[in-house]
Amino acid sequence: MELRSLTRISLPKDDYVYLLGMAISVFISNNGFIIENIINTDSDYSWYDLIDRESGQLKAPIAQTITKNAGAEIAELFSDIVYKRNRIIHSFRCTSSKEEQILATKDRITNQQFYIDEHYLINFIELNNKLSHLLHEYRYFVV
């Protein structure tokens, strides 16, 4: 089946859609990995409670577990990633200056609009790779 036939809505080019899907997928994986590390650090936390929280609402449990044991690097990186993920999720579709369908958003502080281009998505994926590495180190060397 031709996947583009699933919708009549115009879509960005295939590579862009693939990167967008990958970006969301790696974030979801790390969000679950954060929760796993919180629970493995302090069994008083419940997966059932944590999985229903918005990612930004994991700040306090992260501080009380991961940051308490390993410093602020993981928490700060996760916070940055959550902000960037929010810019993806709360973006809008537009046609770029290159006449391509793309997402765009704005900085919440400056209100400056910008494209969520392939570079943004690749950077987001790379930050998630770094977070995954730090979470693996935390799981194996701290907990």
Side-chain angles (χ1 to χ4, degrees), residues 67-100:
T67 302
K68 183 177 177 182
N69 289 299
E73 185 177 14
I74 290 172
E76 290 170 358
L77 181 56
F78 186 65
S79 181
D80 184 40
I81 289 170
V82 168
Y83 177 80
K84 290 178 183 307
R85 188 283 314 255
N86 288 346
R87 297 319 332 137
I88 295 169
I89 297 302
H90 298 290
S91 63
F92 55 92
R93 280 278 298 282
C94 66
T95 302
S96 74
S97 56
K98 296 178 183 178
E99 299 297 318
E100 297 176 325

Side-chain angles (χ1 to χ4, degrees), residues 21-111:
M22 183 185 296
I24 299 304
S25 185
V26 298
F27 175 82
I28 291 167
S29 177
N30 275 337
N31 196 73
F33 202 7
I34 285 275
I35 291 170
E36 175 188 324
N37 277 292
I38 291 168
I39 294 167
N40 285 340
T41 304
D42 185 343
S43 61
D44 288 340
Y45 284 100
S46 161
W47 179 86
Y48 291 95
D49 171 51
L50 296 176
I51 199 66
D52 285 336
R53 292 187 187 197
E54 296 172 2
S55 299
Q57 298 303 312
L58 294 173
K59 193 175 209 172
I62 292 169
Q64 295 164 0
T65 57
I66 297 169
T67 302
K68 183 177 177 182
N69 289 299
E73 185 177 14
I74 290 172
E76 290 170 358
L77 181 56
F78 186 65
S79 181
D80 184 40
I81 289 170
V82 168
Y83 177 80
K84 290 178 183 307
R85 188 283 314 255
N86 288 346
R87 297 319 332 137
I88 295 169
I89 297 302
H90 298 290
S91 63
F92 55 92
R93 280 278 298 282
C94 66
T95 302
S96 74
S97 56
K98 296 178 183 178
E99 299 297 318
E100 297 176 325
Q101 292 293 305
I102 194 167
L103 300 178
T105 191
K106 68 173 188 65
D107 184 279
R108 291 186 71 190
I109 297 168
T110 66
N111 287 323

Side-chain angles (χ1 to χ4, degrees), residues 14-24 118-119 121-122 125:
D14 287 346
D15 288 346
Y16 185 85
V17 172
Y18 183 80
L19 279 173
L20 185 58
M22 183 185 296
I24 299 304
E118 290 179 355
H119 175 75
L121 295 172
I122 290 167
I125 293 164

